[in-house]
Amino acid sequence: MNDEQLLRYSRHILLPDIGIEGQQKLRDAHALIIGAGGLGSPAAMYLASSGVGTLTLCDGDTVDLTNLQRQIVHRTSSIGMAKVDSARTSLAEINSDVRVIALNERADQTRLFELVGQADVVLDCSDNFATRYALNQVCVQLKKPFVSGAATRFDGQVAVFDMRHPHSPCYHCLYPEQSDALETRCAVMGVFAPLVGIIGSMQAAEALKLLMGIGTLLCSRLLVTDLLHMDLRTVKLNKDPACLICGAS
């Protein structure tokens, strides 16, 4: 790192758990973020400001007025733009040292294999179960760590699924595809603006810790938040031996 980079990241470097070695790990890392909306906005901004070397943003949507209440990477001037292009512009203003790959597309299973295979960590910032299931399956097969986040109304959750560890559950263990889990979109249910900021920031924190190999991750744990009553709790997750995605069968 040059002098300007050392100064930019000095508050990280001062932390004994990070130091120059940890910061260099971030500079050498590649994070994939699926979704550039409410969760993807703070996640991408904190990964960029923290100096993750390469960020790939994948989202096929465009910015509209209703997004601006919570999707803080976008601006009023971005309305009508592809979300990934809007995000790339904002991230360049935060840290031009970070390489941002903007993919204006909805990746299918084949494309996800390609994208996940290139990344060191994957952040699921999508808003639908179909994408989460597809992403989980690819991460299980490629053994890539997968930071999951979800938010609706006043309730959010974060978990880390890391199949590099044999006893780790996967997303399908938590929410089997044939379960009665309901699709709840913020367009219908509404979402409290700070909630996505908190959940997305937690996803960024877990991804950064994972890339640097520090701290205790939310592996085999689900962190659940209720901002309306300011309640925070952690639920232990167990691997399902009969899971169709990661089980022994």
Side-chain angles (χ1 to χ4, degrees), residues 136-151:
N136 175 70
Q137 185 170 354
V138 172
C139 288
V140 168
Q141 293 184 25
L142 297 181
K143 288 185 165 48
K144 295 285 185 172
F146 171 41
V147 183
S148 172

Side-chain angles (χ1 to χ4, degrees), residues 25-59:
K25 288 180 180 178
L26 294 183
R27 284 178 47 77
D28 295 338
H30 183 171
L32 169 64
I33 303 175
I34 302 295
L39 299 177
S41 290
M45 292 170 78
Y46 273 114
L47 292 184
S49 66
S50 296
V52 173
T54 302
L55 294 179
T56 295
L57 304 178
C58 185
D59 192 310

